Amino acid sequence: MTQFYDARGNIYGVISPQALSDAGIALPASATECASSRQSWSEAAIKLCCDWPEDQRPANSKSHRSDGLLIGPFQTSPPFDVLIVNTDGTLAERSGNGLTIFSQALTEQGLMPEEGALLRVHHDKGEAVKTSVKPAAVEGVQGFWLDLGQPDFGPRAVAAQNVESVDFNGHDVSQVKPLATLDPAWSHSQFVRIGNPHCVTLLDDRAALPSNQQMRESPLNEGLTAIAYAMPTGAGDPCPAGVNLQWAVLESPQKILARVFERGEGPTASSGTSASAVACAAWRVGWVAAGEVQVVMPGGTAPILLEAAGAELVRVRLFGAARLMG
């Protein structure tokens, strides 16, 4: 019923609205109505599709068998509507790896046109977030370019509160006190919105990068959950609606090392929109130039294309590929 796909170590289940309804989880007919009523069905959908089968959870694994659930399509021709459900039952506005996986599923279902399609992610925080997807091959790998549009920067872009302005590499960034309290090396953060909110913490030393294992363990997990998650799971500080967290260090020209702690999910092996936010933040503080940027995460490397016009970043594109898991 649920098919699982892997994109750079990020795993999502994919299921159609009809299949969920057939399994006893009644959904409204439209993605818009599903999003507005998600509290009545999302936790049950996660339990059905993403919980580990009894006695099959591997040692030291995450609490769910995937990083989320993709529900769609709601149509048989583009544009395609989709819901991205985090494992805590909340809805995400965008996921680069998730949309790559959804595009691969559409391709295998014979629904993705050769020229690509428009994907519309419905959520309960505002209007649907649109992403143009185009099939492509990069270095012999068949996948998709996702056009993520133009990023926005700074505390206002993500509705951050109670942050201080500080200097990093001659550029104005933010200090998020809860992050700096956890580790003084985490004192310089760049907020980025690229369809969803991100807080990229910029580091001078790769030794300050947290490992995914560290982020899963106490007390760091509790501290990061309070920052990343909205209430009641977290504290919604600095962003009342929650924020995705990344840590980044410049490895070499146009190459960034990164770690990710997602709002609604926790530490993940990779994230497409997080990688894109990292590349944007790196451009903002002068670490990288426009053009191709490689963002290296534990789950794999994301190629990002940054397009600038003068002193403004005008477009971000992400390449990704996905495979159906056996």
Side-chain angles (χ1 to χ4, degrees), residues 248-251 254-258 278 282 287-288 293-296:
V249 63
L250 181 63
E251 168 75 356
Q254 302 297 106
K255 186 177 183 180
I256 309 292
L257 303 182
V278 165
W287 273 0
V288 300
V293 178
Q294 300 284 326
V295 178
V296 183

Side-chain angles (χ1 to χ4, degrees), residues 5-23:
Y5 291 79
D6 184 330
R8 280 187 290 261
N10 219 190
I11 298 170
Y12 277 88
V14 181
I15 190 169
S16 70
Q18 185 61 52
L20 269 182
S21 295
D22 291 345

Side-chain angles (χ1 to χ4, degrees), residues 94 130 146-151 194 280 313-317:
R94 178 177 267 171
K130 301 176 181 179
L146 278 62
D147 187 343
L148 303 181
Q150 184 174 21
I194 188 162
C280 292
L313 201 57
V314 296
R315 187 164 71 154
V316 182
R317 288 186 288 163

Side-chain angles (χ1 to χ4, degrees), residues 152-229:
D152 197 6
F153 297 97
R156 274 186 165 184
V158 299
Q161 303 173 354
N162 305 317
V163 297
E164 296 182 6
S165 177
V166 292
D167 178 82
F168 182 85
N169 200 30
H171 296 266
D172 183 51
V173 298
S174 299
Q175 183 180 83
V176 179
K177 287 186 178 179
L179 279 172
T181 299
L182 290 174
D183 190 327
W186 300 350
S187 295
H188 302 90
S189 300
Q190 175 67 65
F191 291 108
V192 183
R193 176 171 286 280
I194 188 162
N196 56 352
H198 301 270
C199 175
V200 182
T201 298
L202 304 154
L203 308 173
D204 293 318
D205 187 347
R206 64 186 298 169
L209 285 169
S211 70
N212 280 21
Q213 185 62 36
Q214 289 171 327
M215 290 191 287
R216 280 194 288 267
E217 296 174 347
S218 182
L220 187 56
N221 182 268
E222 290 85 349
L224 295 178
T225 297
I227 298 167
Y229 284 57

